[in-house]
Amino acid sequence: QEPGSFNYLLGNSKEINPLVELFKKLMGQSDYTLASIFSLIDSILPCEKAEQMKKITEELVQEIEEILGDDGVLIYPSCTNPAPFHYAPFVQIYNFNYWSIINVLHFPATQVPMGLNSYGMPMGVQIVASQNRDRHCLAVAEELDRQFGGWTAPFKTLEV
């Protein structure tokens, strides 16, 4: 339901063939990222039932707005696991749903780093508030940052 054509924008006003670009990517010859090529492939798949999806989305927005009220927030996982390695999200395709649903619903969210796990990988949560309540996300994020020590470097750095 995004406005405009991603293919048209990415191709700088020219149509890009997603299957050709995927083949070129596998050969190391594409100018585009794998994520953008997957988005292009979406354009050749059957369209969703737009009206049904809009209705479901509106119902979910209303339900979450009722739960949060005027001053509630969700402290919501950012992902199913700590930061993935490069390209891992292309294999674990459903791990994006923790943050993507918040984007689709247009709720404000703030990512808060919560330290490192035992393998030294960053972990965090996202703070989600009702629409137009960004200040609540930021206030809770600031307090969590203060209480938990904020961002942690994943490795030691030399001070000069």
Side-chain angles (χ1 to χ4, degrees):
Q1 296 301 310
E2 295 295 326
S5 164
F6 180 67
N7 191 316
Y8 183 79
L9 293 171
L10 188 66
N12 201 17
S13 303
K14 293 184 219 168
E15 285 289 314
I16 300 170
N17 184 323
L19 299 178
V20 169
E21 286 305 320
L22 181 59
F23 180 75
K24 285 170 62 176
K25 186 69 174 178
L26 294 173
M27 299 295 125
Q29 300 299 312
S30 178
D31 293 328
Y32 306 107
T33 65
L34 198 54
S36 62
I37 294 169
F38 283 165
S39 291
L40 290 172
I41 289 171
D42 189 46
S43 68
I44 62 174
L45 296 176
C47 293
E48 77 280 354
K49 297 175 182 171
E51 291 308 313
Q52 181 183 5
M53 295 300 110
K54 283 181 184 178
K55 182 177 184 272
I56 291 169
T57 301
E58 289 168 5
E59 290 170 359
L60 188 54
V61 166
Q62 184 177 356
E63 186 176 335
I64 293 175
E65 290 276 345
E66 287 173 12
I67 291 169
L68 293 175
D70 290 335
D71 60 358
V73 297
L74 295 173
I75 299 178
Y76 195 73
S78 304
C79 193
T80 57
N81 54 345
F85 292 100
H86 289 291
Y87 295 110
F90 295 124
V91 179
Q92 303 163 333
I93 60 173
Y94 294 110
N95 283 355
F96 70 92
N97 59 2
Y98 281 85
W99 50 265
S100 65
I101 189 68
I102 302 306
N103 289 342
V104 167
L105 300 176
H106 299 279
F107 285 118
T110 302
Q111 171 64 27
V112 182
M114 298 296 289
L116 306 175
N117 70 4
S118 60
Y119 297 104
M121 298 300 290
M123 300 184 304
V125 295
Q126 58 183 331
I127 310 304
V128 180
S130 297
Q131 292 178 343
N132 302 314
R133 300 278 196 299
D134 302 63
R135 67 188 181 279
H136 293 140
C137 290
L138 296 172
V140 172
E142 185 177 45
E143 187 59 29
L144 285 174
D145 188 66
R146 189 176 9 264
Q147 293 298 319
F148 289 93
W151 179 80
T152 305
F155 51 86
K156 296 198 184 289
T157 58
L158 299 175
E159 291 186 31
V160 180

